[in-house]
Amino acid sequence: MGWNSWNTFGENIHESLIEETAAALVETGLAEIGYRFVNIDDCWHAEARDDEERLTWDAAKFPGGIPRLAEAVHGMGFGFGIYSCAGTHTCAGRVASFGNEEKDAQTFADWGVDFLKYDYCNKPFGVDGRTLYFRMGQALRSTGRHIIFSACEWGNTEPWLWGRQAGCHMWRTTGDISDSWESIKAIGFSQFGKELYAGPNAWNDPDMLVVGMKGVGNVAAGGCSLDEYKTHFALWCLLAAPLLIGCDVRSIDAESLAILGNRRLVAVNQDKMGAQARLVGSDYHHWDHTLFPTLVKPLADGGLALGMFNLHDERTVQLQAAWEAIGLHDRRPCQVQDLWTGEDLGVHRSFFCAKAAPHAGVVVKLTPLPL
Ligand code: GLA
């Protein structure tokens, strides 16, 4: 959990932005809720490597230098993240790590980096991309510093099959997100079938959050409604996806803060069982899985997080989940709690149903009681 510069700021990053963001994460309470990494994405680099072939920073953007910035970010209680790429150049054309993996891993460790996002642009022709992630994973381990390794090859070579072995702690499963309902829907509801590959220290990553961008910034694409942002966040929590905020937290509005700061949903996301929700159906309803997907995430305390979503563009619908369909005995009573509001929705047997507006969801926790 943390923040990343790309979604809102793209190449327009500066050390004061990074420090102000860390301060804003503390002031808003988001840091205390668990957003503990401050990550710089692409475009922090100088034009070329230094005299000793080491990567170095753009001195106009980072006049105090990256090591000092890392120290400042650490001083505020955060981990510090940086970005490089497995190819010769990053996606935005900056100098990258191909052929210099050991040197760059050591540089990052020397700077106090705690998290590395590793992209996939400009890979030399004929080179097996997977090997490049194994190589950087090995280089990072050789530094002796614990650095979270985030692979970003967009799901091209099924990184869920080999990422864990390459030393990756998370891997992107899709192309880039944008701040629109179409993007959230396409990415968020395309994750089914990969749940067996996720677990503690190894996560499927459907890209960073756009909650709170409201149509402004680098990946802006019209913005989303409040219900759409809530669906986005609830879905990422159910999917046990990494939660990296992408908006400008210095000026975040109250509604977006309430979404990102919902402790019950964050607890579902961070649940120590580490299960990624699976898609289920129901025998009691004419489900259309495409229009009304129902997800269930088992939790370590024996409870289940249930999300039922209405992807219809105009109609409010009644959504229903039958216990049978989600792996419970059909007479098992369950205490139901609304995860958005915390409201106790009573004890239910056999099924639970509730209405959802277009693009909204019903997101609840089921706590099974004795039969
Ligand atoms: C790729 C990645 C993005 C971002 C940009 C930076 O597109 O998928 O998340 O890091 O590169 O250039």
Side-chain angles (χ1 to χ4, degrees), residues 110-121:
D110 294 345
W111 289 353
V113 164
D114 307 292
F115 181 110
L116 174 67
K117 172 174 172 181
Y118 206 48
D119 220 331
Y120 199 52
C121 286

Side-chain angles (χ1 to χ4, degrees), residues 43 141 193:
C43 305
R141 282 193 303 285

Side-chain angles (χ1 to χ4, degrees), residues 6 41-42 83 91-92 117 119 152 154 172 176 208:
W6 185 253
D41 209 281
D42 206 345
Y83 162 101
C91 297
K117 172 174 172 181
D119 220 331
C152 178
W154 321 304
R172 281 273 296 278
D176 289 6
M208 302 170 292

Side-chain angles (χ1 to χ4, degrees), residues 44-57 95-97 100 102-108 110-111:
W44 56 268
H45 320 65
E47 288 284 314
R49 288 176 178 268
D50 71 8
D51 294 343
E52 288 166 47
E53 290 296 308
R54 283 180 309 220
L55 285 174
T56 188
W57 54 86
V95 65
S97 295
N100 285 293
E102 305 245 318
K103 185 178 288 254
D104 293 355
Q106 192 56 53
T107 300
F108 297 144
D110 294 345
W111 289 353

Side-chain angles (χ1 to χ4, degrees), residues 50-202:
D50 71 8
D51 294 343
E52 288 166 47
E53 290 296 308
R54 283 180 309 220
L55 285 174
T56 188
W57 54 86
D58 179 331
K61 291 177 174 174
F62 299 96
I66 296 278
R68 193 211 58 84
L69 180 59
E71 208 179 297
V73 166
H74 289 154
M76 287 189 259
F78 297 95
F80 177 72
I82 208 160
Y83 162 101
S84 190
C85 180
T88 55
H89 293 83
T90 72
C91 297
R94 307 307 201 268
V95 65
S97 295
F98 180 76
N100 285 293
E101 291 84 356
E102 305 245 318
K103 185 178 288 254
D104 293 355
Q106 192 56 53
T107 300
F108 297 144
D110 294 345
W111 289 353
V113 164
D114 307 292
F115 181 110
L116 174 67
K117 172 174 172 181
Y118 206 48
D119 220 331
Y120 199 52
C121 286
N122 303 305
K123 176 177 74 66
F125 184 72
V127 175
D128 176 11
R130 288 168 298 187
T131 309
L132 300 181
Y133 286 91
F134 274 83
R135 226 198 256 180
M136 185 48 104
Q138 180 61 42
L140 290 171
R141 282 193 303 285
S142 299
T143 68
R145 185 177 175 87
H146 178 61
I147 298 178
I148 293 180
F149 187 26
S150 161
C152 178
E153 58 76 272
W154 321 304
N156 280 16
T157 60
E158 302 180 301
W160 47 91
L161 297 180
W162 52 263
R164 190 188 286 260
Q165 209 184 21
C168 306
H169 301 97
M170 52 196 263
W171 42 82
R172 281 273 296 278
T173 50
T174 68
D176 289 6
I177 199 165
S178 64
D179 182 21
S180 71
W181 170 244
E182 288 310 319
S183 175
I184 287 169
K185 190 171 63 165
I187 288 180
F189 293 103
S190 70
Q191 299 302 297
F192 309 123
K194 302 188 184 81
E195 52 272 9
L196 285 179
Y197 304 105
N201 291 318

